[in-house]
Amino acid sequence: MVQHVDPETLALLALGETEETAASADERDHLSACPQCTEEMAELAVVAQTGRALTPEDTMVPPAPAVWDRISAELGLGQAAAAEQPAAPAPDPGPVAAAVPSLTERRERRRGGLAQVLVAACVALVLGVTAGVLWERRDTTPEEVPLASARLDALPGWTDASGGARIEQTETGARQLVLDVTAPSSEGGYREVWLIADDLSGLVSLGILEGSEGRFDIPAGLDLAEFSLVDVSEEHFDGDPTHSGDSVVRGALEGQQA
């Protein structure tokens, strides 16, 4: 029966201890020829490297209980160990290294159960830090809630144009007009986006449309029930900030226009 390198030695090597101090000559010879032990040490090294990559700016949060349940089940630690979930530690590699005893201390202890518990603690510690960082770095982009939408139809002279628009509200309460327009390219001009009163008595410019898609902030307090027409115009570099009168597409917003 092949005697593999014990997990405690693999953990020491993965944490950066030299082979001469962490392993015996027989263990070093076995490690150089055993794919299984080499793979296990490489996996532990990846975990240790992840822990060392953390910085003080990384805020730790406790992982979900399911994470510790899976670790406990995988390592056979039992329900009692799974219930005692450690708090998320600061991203300092010192405690990880300190959790592994020196070679002299290690050789004075019994192997077997001690090695399993030691490796489990080391792996669980680094996995806990990693899980906390991944949770903290999760995508926190504010969810956008659609309020209204409009189909944009072509106006005379722009028969091949079409488009769509929608009003979205972020978690902060800000409103944005999201626009998608298909139209022949503008030659010697540019496209401007407007909100126009439904009786054409007034209009508000939201900005320049670059390309075929855009997102535009809507001024706070603007009543979208009144300014319900979305308009994209063809403008020229003539210094006149008013609407050119040449609309490419236009459509009325429908829905909850908050």
Side-chain angles (χ1 to χ4, degrees), residues 150-167:
R151 187 185 71 180
L152 305 181
D153 298 320
L155 272 74
W158 300 92
T159 55
D160 294 332
S162 62
R166 65 182 185 275
I167 304 296

Side-chain angles (χ1 to χ4, degrees), residues 104-214:
T104 301
E105 294 173 332
R106 179 169 57 85
R107 286 176 174 171
E108 293 176 354
R109 298 179 181 178
R110 293 182 301 171
R111 299 176 181 246
L114 174 60
Q116 183 181 17
V117 173
L118 181 61
V119 174
C122 179
V123 174
L125 176 61
V126 180
L127 286 179
V129 172
T130 304
V133 171
L134 293 178
W135 175 257
E136 181 66 21
R137 292 179 177 175
R138 69 192 187 283
D139 184 10
T140 56
T141 303
E143 181 180 357
E144 295 158 345
V145 180
L147 298 177
S149 62
R151 187 185 71 180
L152 305 181
D153 298 320
L155 272 74
W158 300 92
T159 55
D160 294 332
S162 62
R166 65 182 185 275
I167 304 296
E168 292 184 348
Q169 184 175 35
T170 68
E171 291 181 344
T172 63
R175 298 174 301 170
Q176 294 182 325
L177 174 70
V178 183
L179 200 63
D180 183 2
V181 175
T182 300
S185 60
S186 176
E187 297 182 1
Y190 61 94
R191 304 274 162 77
E192 191 164 359
V193 180
W194 308 79
L195 286 177
I196 302 178
D198 54 5
D199 60 0
L200 305 181
S201 62
L203 72 170
V204 176
S205 173
L206 298 185
I208 306 303
L209 176 63
E210 299 180 357
S212 61
E213 299 178 353

